[in-house]
Structure formats: structure tokens, C-alpha cells
Amino acid sequence: YGEVLRQGSPARALAGSRPMAAVQVSRSEIDFTLQALRRENVRVDGRALTACRRFALRFGAAHGEVEVSFGPTRALAVCSGEIITPRPERPNEGRISFNVEFGPMASPSFEVGRPSPHAASVTNFVERLLRGSRAVDVEALCIVGGQKVWSIRVDVRALDDDGNLGDVCAIAAVCSLLHFRKADVDVRGDQAKVFASEERPPVPLNIHHLPVPVTFALFAPLSGTAEPTWILDPNR
């Protein structure tokens, strides 16, 4: 899965995932950056065009709590589960949902208590990446057909935005699902007994494959015959 940033003005491309209202970029800064990209194949932070920032992963005390960072960009994902009654149209399938929140902790451009359009876009992106690709086996979340299934929820919160926040949130959601453990269940007929972690070790989710997002940005060439310049893991 890849996400291409639409080719637009140089200022918009340099802003990455943060709106231009939050960071003012002068014309001279734009020209300097584009010259470095097109002629010297280097970015203002010293990275090559195809180089990613340093990746870091930190697990929390609870299963399903993961913090992911690409350089300064960070996101925290928390996975949780509960037993619910399945939907009538899908009696043998569990549910999986995702929620992404951007707040002023990550960037001054994100407002408190107000849904961010960019957060909604990233939420849809994560859902297409994981639920749309059927990465998680939802049938394995069924406990008793038509009566009890697992409902898995992944909440992702942006901690710091220095560009490419979509990839960081998506990878955080993937790692959270991998790290999560649900309670073991013993089914006898139509009866199901849920065991506490002290009684039986919790069990991982059934995950078929690991979709990894890759974001790159395109910059228009100086002439009509030249190829466009592209960079991997765009930052702010």
C-alpha cells in the first residue's frame, strides 16, 4: 500500500501533513529547499531523497499499548477488546474499529475538542489498510455464532507531528494489534467461559499479513522533459 501526495504548490509539498497555517515558509526557503532536492539530491535535514528517518518502537506496560516514532514524529496506539453481540447480518464475525485523534500536543494547528479533517482522513486510511485488506481474521473473533463475538478497537493519538503522520499512525495501529492479547475463552455448546489473565494466559489475534504504508512526495521538474523529483518519508 502506498500513498502519493498530490503534486501541488512547493509550499504545500514542504508542509507535509501539517497545514500551512501552522508554519509560514518564505519564498527564499522554498527555493533553497527545491534547489537542494533537484540539483544536489539532498534534503534540508541532510537525508538523501530515499532515506527514511530513524524508526523507534516502545511497548507499554499493558498489552496493545505501543508508541511509534519516525524521527520527531510520534504516535501512541492502544488496542482494547470487549465481548459483544454480533450484528444480525454477520453473526459469525467479530468487529474491528479504528479511531485517530490529533490534538494540540502534536501541533498547534490541531484544536482541542474539535475533529480534525486530517485525523478523519488518516482514520479512513488506517481502516482501508487493515480492515479493507482483511489483515485481521474477523471470523476468528467469533466466540458463539450469533451470540458472542470479540469487538476490537484501536485508538491512535498523535503525540508530535513533524510530517508523515499518516504512516506513523498506521504502523502504530499494526504494532498495537500484534502486541494485543485477548482473554482466553472456553466454549461448551452455547456457553462460553472467559478466563482472567491469572487463570489462563491471554492469546494473540489471528493476523494474516502485515500491510506497511509507504508515503512519498513528488515535486514538479524544472523543465517539461525532466523527470519529477521524489522523496521518501517526507517530513515537515
Side-chain angles (χ1 to χ4, degrees), residues 18-80:
R18 183 178 298 190
M20 283 304 298
V23 178
Q24 297 296 330
V25 182
S26 66
R27 185 71 233 183
S28 60
E29 291 175 320
I30 295 174
D31 293 339
F32 173 80
T33 302
L34 291 178
Q35 180 178 350
L37 290 173
R38 290 166 173 160
R39 298 180 180 177
E40 302 180 17
N41 295 325
V42 68
R43 300 189 232 185
V44 291
D45 60 0
R47 282 189 293 155
L49 302 186
T50 58
C52 293
R53 290 171 292 181
R54 182 179 178 85
F55 172 79
L57 185 63
R58 186 183 66 85
F59 296 100
H63 286 297
E65 182 178 332
V66 179
E67 180 182 322
V68 172
S69 62
F70 278 11
T73 302
R74 299 183 300 131
L76 175 68
V78 178
C79 183
S80 58

Side-chain angles (χ1 to χ4, degrees), residues 1 6 33 41 69-70 81 90-91 106 115 122 131 162 200 204 212:
Y1 291 83
R6 289 189 176 181
T33 302
N41 295 325
S69 62
F70 278 11
R90 297 184 181 273
V122 173
R131 192 167 61 185
D162 192 47
R200 285 190 184 179
V212 178

Side-chain angles (χ1 to χ4, degrees), residues 124-140:
N124 294 332
F125 171 59
V126 173
E127 287 184 345
R128 293 196 311 269
L129 187 74
L130 293 170
R131 192 167 61 185
S133 67
R134 301 183 182 274
V136 181
D137 188 352
V138 292
E139 291 185 357

Side-chain angles (χ1 to χ4, degrees), residues 122-188:
V122 173
T123 300
N124 294 332
F125 171 59
V126 173
E127 287 184 345
R128 293 196 311 269
L129 187 74
L130 293 170
R131 192 167 61 185
S133 67
R134 301 183 182 274
V136 181
D137 188 352
V138 292
E139 291 185 357
L141 298 176
C142 178
I143 301 174
V144 179
Q147 299 183 28
K148 295 180 179 181
V149 297
W150 281 102
S151 175
I152 305 299
R153 177 185 173 94
V154 180
D155 292 286
V156 184
R157 176 176 291 274
L159 301 179
D160 198 356
D161 178 20
D162 192 47
N164 202 8
L165 198 52
D167 280 9
V168 175
C169 289
I171 294 176
V174 172
C175 295
S176 178
L177 288 170
L178 288 170
H179 189 241
F180 177 70
R181 298 292 185 270
K182 57 184 175 67
D184 195 8
V185 180
D186 184 22
V187 179
R188 295 186 179 181

